[in-house]
Amino acid sequence: MTTLYAIGDIHGQLAGLTQAIEWIEKDGGPEAPIVFLGDYIDRGPDSRGVLDFLIQGRDAGRNWTFLKGNHDRMFEWFLQTPSRADPHLFTDLSWLHERLGGQDTLRSYGLDFSARRRLSAVHDEALRAVPKAHLDFLEGCPLTFETEDLFFCHAGIRPGVALCDQNEEDLLWIREEFLDFDGRHPKIIVHGHSPIEQACHYGNRVNLDSGAGYGHPLTAAVFEELCCSILTPQGRRKISMAA
C-alpha cells in the first residue's frame, strides 16, 4: 500500500509548517513523500522563512512535491518586469491589498509599508530584496500531481472536464463551480484554497485548507490509497466526512 502525505495552504506560517513536518516524519520517517498544495506565502508573518525552508528541503533531496497556488503566482507575477497583475482579481483589489497579504510577504523581506509608497518604488525594492532562488522556485512549481486514485491541485477542477484538459485559472482559482458539485470526478480531488474550520472529506474531494492564512492550525494529512487521516500530536485521526 502506497503512503503519501499532503500539507494544505501554509500562508507564511513557518512554525505551523515545521510542526506539520515533525508530525509527518514521526508517522512516516524522514523519507516520507509529501505533496504541498500551494499558497506558501501571504498573510502570515514569515513567507520568506517558509520559502527558505521548502527550498532547503528540496535541495537536501527530500521527496517533496510543491504545487503552485494562486498567491504564489501573484507573487511571481508581481516580480516580473513590468509587474504583472492577476486578471482574476476584482478591479478594486491587487496583490498588495491587505485582504490578499502581499504587503505581509514583502515585509518578511524587509520592505517597509509604514508610509504611503508608489508601486514602482515597491517593485524596484522587491526585485532587490527577493532572492532569485525564491522566484525560480515559484516559477518551477507545477500545477498538479496525481496517483492512480488521487489528483492534487491547489483550488480544484472544472467538473466535466478531463483532468488532462484542466485550465490553469481553474486549478488556481476555482471555487463555487467545484465546491458545489457533488457528482463523481475521475479521481478524488485533494485541494486547498477555500478555507474551512477543519479539513474535510466530501466524498469526491478532500479540502485540506484549514485556515492557516487566518491564524488557524495548518493541516497535514496522510493518504493510503483512498483512506485519508489527519495527523495530530497524538497520531492519526480519520478525517471528518461532510454531513
Side-chain angles (χ1 to χ4, degrees):
M1 180 181 295
T2 300
T3 301
L4 183 63
Y5 297 84
I7 292 179
D9 303 39
I10 298 168
H11 281 298
Q13 301 290 349
L14 179 59
L17 172 59
T18 55
Q19 179 72 84
I21 296 295
E22 288 178 12
W23 292 345
I24 289 174
E25 291 185 349
K26 182 179 179 181
D27 187 88
E31 302 304 317
I34 305 174
V35 179
F36 297 85
L37 296 178
D39 277 7
Y40 309 114
I41 58 144
D42 292 350
R43 298 189 177 127
D46 198 0
S47 292
R48 177 174 189 160
V50 166
L51 292 181
D52 278 336
F53 182 89
L54 296 177
I55 291 169
Q56 288 167 8
R58 179 202 64 188
D59 292 348
R62 297 296 192 99
N63 190 6
W64 293 356
T65 299
F66 310 101
L67 302 186
K68 185 176 296 188
N70 60 314
H71 284 262
D72 309 316
R73 193 180 73 171
M74 284 189 284
F75 185 25
E76 172 193 339
W77 283 6
F78 178 81
L79 294 173
Q80 293 182 0
T81 302
S83 183
R84 182 178 177 187
D86 196 311
H88 188 85
L89 293 174
F90 290 107
T91 56
D92 59 338
L93 291 178
S94 74
W95 177 65
L96 291 176
H97 192 282
E98 61 183 10
R99 281 182 55 187
L100 295 176
Q103 290 190 28
D104 297 313
T105 292
L106 293 181
R107 286 190 187 97
S108 74
Y109 291 91
L111 273 70
D112 183 4
F113 291 91
S114 59
R116 192 181 188 193
R117 304 190 62 187
R118 294 193 183 277
L119 183 60
S120 58
V122 173
H123 180 253
D124 289 345
E125 186 175 353
L127 292 180
R128 294 191 297 270
V130 177
K132 185 176 184 299
H134 288 199
L135 178 56
D136 291 344
F137 173 84
L138 295 172
E139 291 177 341
C141 290
L143 297 173
T144 67
F145 176 84
E146 57 187 305
T147 68
E148 183 177 349
D149 301 303
L150 305 169
F151 184 88
F152 296 81
C153 59
H154 177 65
I157 67 167
R158 176 76 55 178
V161 176
L163 296 179
C164 61
D165 293 329
Q166 291 293 320
N167 180 279
E168 178 171 326
E169 298 305 307
D170 287 333
L171 293 168
L172 294 179
W173 281 103
I174 198 168
R175 280 210 168 96
E176 287 80 7
E177 301 93 335
F178 169 65
L179 302 177
D180 295 341
F181 181 77
D182 58 7
R184 293 189 63 180
H185 298 301
K187 300 181 180 184
I188 298 295
I189 310 301
V190 184
H191 68 98
H193 183 60
S194 297
I196 51 179
E197 289 188 5
Q198 60 180 4
C200 190
H201 199 311
Y202 295 85
N204 61 356
R205 63 184 178 88
V206 178
N207 185 352
L208 297 184
D209 184 357
S210 50
Y214 301 98
H216 302 299
L218 182 66
T219 290
V222 53
F223 294 86
E224 290 178 329
E225 296 178 349
L226 294 178
C227 298
C228 177
S229 300
I230 299 301
L231 297 181
T232 75
Q234 292 75 40
R236 297 187 184 189
R237 175 174 59 80
K238 192 170 180 61
I239 192 168
S240 300
M241 295 292 296

